[in-house]
Amino acid sequence: MGLDGTYGQRAADPGQAVVPPQRGVAPFDLGAWVNAPRPELAPGVWRLNHRQRSEADREAAAVPAGPLLWRAALNAVVAWIVQIYAPDLVWWVIDLLGLRDGMGAGVTTFLALLVYGLVLAVVIRVFGRMGRWLEVWRRWVAPLLARTVTREEPAPDAEPAGLTDPWAALRLGGAAEAARLLDARPVGDVDYVRIQRAWETVHQDPALLPAFTEQVAARGGAACAHPSEARDLAGRGPGHDLLTRQVRLGTAQDVVKNPQAHRATGFALDPSLLGTSLLAVGPAGTGKTARLARPLAEALCLQALAGTACAVVLGSAEADLGPDDWYDVVIAPGDPSSPYGLDLFGAAAEVEQAAARLADALLPDELAPRGEAARAALQQTVGPFHAAYGRYPGVRELRALLGGAAAAWQTLRQTLDDTGRLAPHEADLQHRERQHGRADDPGALLADRLALLDRPAFAGHFPGDGPGRPAFAMRVLDHPLRVRVKLPERSHPEAARMLSRLLTGQFVQAAGARTERALFAGLVVDDASAAVDAQVVRGLQGMRGANAGAVLLLRTLVDLPEALRTALFGAVGCRMAFPGIAPWDGKLFSEAWGTHLVRETAVTHTPDTSGGMFRKAGRGLRKALSGTAAQTESVTVRDVERHRWSPSDLAHALPGGHAVISLASVTGDQVPPLLVDLRGQ
């Protein structure tokens, strides 16, 4: 990796040319941020400044304020009454035993003080414990006194001892001058992580040390900058910790269904969880985009600026996935102002793989059974064209060839013959020419599908048909790029579905084929109803070991072919259900999350027939007077298996602004489903 955060050359990828406006770096306490506690916790727990709750805190939090105050007041009243009458009872016992006979006045006074003191101590001990007076003092009385009586705010925590020098690695590694310069310059969290990552490269290759020091001397906190020169995101939200690479999405609720370690803690995601991919299902209006997709897109873009990730974000042009200046490459097919186009064959270096991926994307779900013949037809067309011209065909050229245009095929054959490459492709040409005009020709089907992209609105957006925009190719995932694709779902809905399927498949294919996997490759798809096919499902599992992951949002699982639903659930590690999902969707979540043991108490009432004649007569009299028969009560406690979350709970019991999510990390750690409040961080 170079000092600019890229691998190898940096001028080849289209993202380099885009330079978003630089936002000023606000004052930032780097030392406090670096030294803030980040304990090792269970997956999904927000680590920054986390305070582990003690068992006493958990027990106290389990008691609501109302019952706690009522119990404290009731015990105080009883304690007051006991304090009044208990000393008289003690004196009566003393007199009964004759212990005061012959005592002098001084001894009697001492004994009285001892009696009153012992009674007071016993009363406070017994009733204070039952009434939890210490908890009431800690929760309400002490803070109230601090504010109203002494008019002093609680003292801040003492400065922790043994603070870590943020630039200790540089000083110890021979870059003390660079560390001194950085101490005197403003440095943000993105800058710090980026410079530390560049220092790791210098540590591996000491020959880069002079260049590193020169960069720091010349640019300070902007040293080793991202190719876009951006150091932060405009309008950045809270809840990002770039040291742990976590993004906080909400708070895990303090309920029995949640595991103890996650109750009342911040909920966060990071690449170790996203690396297993995440599937989120919920109807429109439940906050999937605003509370999940946008924060994750923002986190990936920040990590890209820090040199630790690359981000590809897919969604409609209207979806709020961040402003354009968050991204290096903005692709908007059908929009004349779009600065970049899209390479339809940009996922693989091998011609046949790229052609096969395009064929899968062109066919809708209902035509998937013809996929194998379509892949073969496209490979037999693209392969000879690439051999003849050294490039991939444009949309119009490919449509003409697949449609069997005689002039196009004659020109292709003549070009292959002139360049001496006809022989290896003769069989493919003959096979395709025999298929032309037949009713079952997959080429004609593909040509009809390509017609959706061969529209005036898309002119210049796809390479190959003359001059156009610089084209983004998915194979550049080893660079810290930030890519936003705006799909034309309103103006060209079927073309948008096709492109969504193509780009998702290309990402999965390219992420798994990367040789340099230091960067986390993240994909966020705002509406994945058309993006998932069998090839994508198979590829999701392989991304776990490739330091890559996908976040797929769906309105309902019914949007997917039935054969893919269970397979998709098995392919992703993190599953998220939003309020209002359909019961049939909830059934899949419920089955995936399994069951757990629940202690169930059953109370049975039966007529009381025990005892002799007198007890039976008494029960008969009671029945005659009250109209109710005496009964015995038997209690049975047993452990039974119940669904962690039933389909009915997921469909009807989830409150608004919440979600239930289960987690799995790339290291194999599992977290049962958590109820999370997503309305605040």
Side-chain angles (χ1 to χ4, degrees):
M1 184 185 76
L3 294 181
D4 60 355
T6 62
Y7 295 84
Q9 72 280 5
R10 60 175 283 188
D13 59 80
Q16 180 192 341
V18 183
V19 183
Q22 175 62 38
R23 186 167 69 105
V25 179
F28 180 71
D29 190 346
L30 180 64
W33 178 73
V34 170
N35 286 281
R38 294 174 175 86
E40 291 293 333
L41 300 168
V45 178
W46 175 249
R47 293 171 53 189
L48 179 62
N49 292 319
H50 177 83
R51 187 181 71 87
Q52 192 70 34
R53 291 199 306 171
S54 65
E55 192 63 32
D57 291 337
R58 293 194 182 98
E59 292 179 0
V63 181
L68 180 62
L69 292 174
W70 167 252
R71 185 185 301 168
L74 183 62
N75 277 271
V77 171
V78 176
W80 176 67
I81 295 173
V82 171
Q83 176 62 28
I84 292 175
Y85 294 104
D88 294 338
L89 178 62
V90 174
W91 283 119
W92 179 79
V93 172
I94 291 175
D95 291 338
L96 183 66
L97 297 175
L99 298 179
R100 279 203 297 181
D101 295 344
M103 284 186 183
V107 176
T108 303
T109 301
F110 174 76
L111 183 61
L113 292 175
L114 182 63
V115 167
Y116 282 104
L118 288 175
V119 169
L120 181 62
V122 171
V123 166
I124 293 176
R125 173 67 177 173
V126 173
F127 293 100
R129 184 179 181 85
M130 291 191 298
R132 292 191 174 185
W133 292 351
L134 286 178
E135 177 63 22
V136 173
W137 175 273
R138 186 182 66 82
R139 280 205 205 181
W140 292 287
V141 179
L144 182 63
L145 290 175
R147 289 193 298 268
T148 61
V149 178
T150 66
R151 296 189 180 277
E152 294 180 359
E153 294 295 328
D157 295 337
E159 189 72 14
L163 292 178
T164 301
D165 177 10
W167 308 112
L170 276 66
R171 299 184 207 277
L172 297 176
E177 179 62 20
R180 186 187 65 80
L181 292 170
L182 289 170
D183 284 335
R185 306 284 187 90
V187 177
D189 55 351
V190 177
D191 299 330
Y192 179 78
V193 174
R194 187 187 66 251
I195 293 173
Q196 289 285 7
R197 184 170 173 81
W199 174 249
E200 294 174 5
T201 304
V202 174
H203 187 69
Q204 297 169 3
D205 185 4
L208 295 173
L209 180 57
F212 175 80
T213 306
E214 181 183 351
Q215 276 266 321
V216 172
R219 312 194 64 189
C224 312
H226 183 268
S228 68
E229 295 293 336
R231 298 171 59 187
D232 210 337
L233 297 180
R236 167 183 167 177
H240 296 282
D241 183 22
L242 291 175
L243 273 185
T244 59
R245 302 172 69 184
Q246 286 187 312
V247 51
R248 180 168 180 170
L249 300 178
T251 304
Q253 297 298 278
D254 193 358
V255 295
V256 176
K257 282 181 176 287
N258 283 352
Q260 189 69 251
H262 289 78
R263 294 179 188 173
T265 63
F267 173 76
L269 295 176
D270 58 64
S272 68
L273 297 171
L274 297 178
T276 64
S277 296
L278 186 152
L279 174 66
V281 180
T286 53
K288 298 192 305 300
T289 300
R291 294 170 179 155
L292 178 65
R294 181 185 167 108
L296 288 179
E298 182 178 351
L300 290 172
C301 288
L302 282 171
Q303 292 172 28
L305 293 181
T308 60
C310 59
V312 179
V313 180
L314 272 64
S316 68
E318 297 78 21
D320 182 12
L321 296 170
D324 288 353
D325 59 9
W326 279 12
Y327 300 94
D328 304 309
V329 178
V330 178
I331 306 166
D335 184 353
S337 64
S338 175
Y340 284 96
L342 181 64
D343 187 350
L344 299 179
F345 299 91
E350 296 185 11
V351 176
E352 294 202 350
Q353 289 183 356
R357 183 62 259 175
L358 178 59
D360 292 335
L362 290 176
L363 295 184
D365 298 331
E366 58 271 18
L367 296 178
R370 300 187 62 182
E372 193 61 40
R375 282 191 289 272
L378 201 56
Q379 288 169 340
Q380 291 166 353
T381 303
V382 174
F385 188 97
H386 191 274
Y389 298 101
R391 63 174 178 85
Y392 289 105
V395 173
R396 187 158 298 175
E397 293 170 323
L398 186 57
R399 181 186 176 190
L401 290 169
L402 290 170
W409 280 100
Q410 182 179 357
T411 302
L412 176 59
R413 179 181 287 275
Q414 185 62 47
T415 304
L416 285 171
D417 192 18
D418 293 343
T419 57
R421 297 187 177 92
L422 179 60
H425 301 281
E426 180 67 33
D428 286 342
L429 295 178
Q430 291 179 356
H431 185 272
R432 287 300 311 134
E433 289 170 349
R434 287 195 300 269
Q435 295 291 320
H436 294 163
R438 295 179 53 174
D440 59 347
D441 179 18
L445 174 61
L446 292 172
D448 290 342
R449 298 293 295 171
L450 274 173
L452 296 172
L453 301 180
D454 188 16
R455 304 294 303 159
F458 296 132
H461 287 272
F462 308 113
D465 292 327
R469 299 164 176 80
F472 167 76
M474 194 68 75
R475 67 176 69 93
V476 296
L477 293 182
D478 52 356
H479 295 267
L481 281 175
R482 303 166 295 160
V483 182
R484 168 73 162 101
V485 182
K486 298 182 176 181
L487 300 174
E489 291 188 356
R490 289 190 176 180
S491 56
H492 300 83
E494 191 59 31
R497 292 172 59 85
M498 188 185 303
L499 293 174
S500 176
R501 185 160 51 242
L502 173 66
L503 289 167
T504 303
Q506 285 186 350
F507 178 91
V508 172
Q509 189 179 53
R514 290 187 304 167
T515 56
E516 178 55 67
R517 297 179 175 179
L519 295 178
F520 177 78
L523 171 70
V524 178
V525 186
D526 185 55
D527 181 5
S529 57
V532 178
D533 58 19
Q535 302 294 331
V536 168
V537 171
R538 281 192 289 268
L540 287 176
Q541 286 277 11
M543 290 202 300
R544 297 191 182 197
N547 197 22
V551 178
L552 307 174
L553 278 61
L554 287 171
R555 292 186 179 91
T556 173
L557 290 167
V558 177
D559 290 341
L560 300 179
E562 187 173 357
L564 291 180
R565 297 170 196 170
T566 304
L568 179 59
F569 258 76
V572 299
C574 304
R575 308 174 183 99
M576 192 170 188
F578 281 79
I581 64 172
W584 43 88
D585 290 343
K587 182 179 180 182
L588 274 178
F589 279 99
S590 183
E591 292 175 351
W593 288 334
T595 60
H596 64 150
L597 290 177
V598 176
R599 179 152 294 184
E600 186 179 81
T601 302
V603 180
T604 305
H605 295 89
T606 57
D608 187 0
T609 58
S610 63
M613 179 181 64
F614 289 103
R615 289 190 64 182
K616 291 179 180 179
R619 289 195 296 269
L621 179 62
R622 172 185 171 183
K623 182 176 182 181
L625 294 175
S626 64
T628 58
Q631 294 181 328
T632 60
E633 182 180 278
S634 60
V635 179
T636 304
V637 179
R638 59 176 182 171
D639 291 335
V640 296
E641 282 195 0
R642 291 285 185 266
H643 282 291
R644 296 181 185 273
W645 284 88
S646 69
S648 178
D649 288 340
L650 294 173
H652 306 295
L654 285 187
H658 291 63
V660 179
I661 179 170
S662 64
L663 303 174
S665 72
V666 293
T667 58
D669 296 324
Q670 301 278 338
V671 177
L674 305 170
L675 176 63
V676 179
D677 185 353
L678 301 173
R679 293 173 297 183
Q681 299 180 349

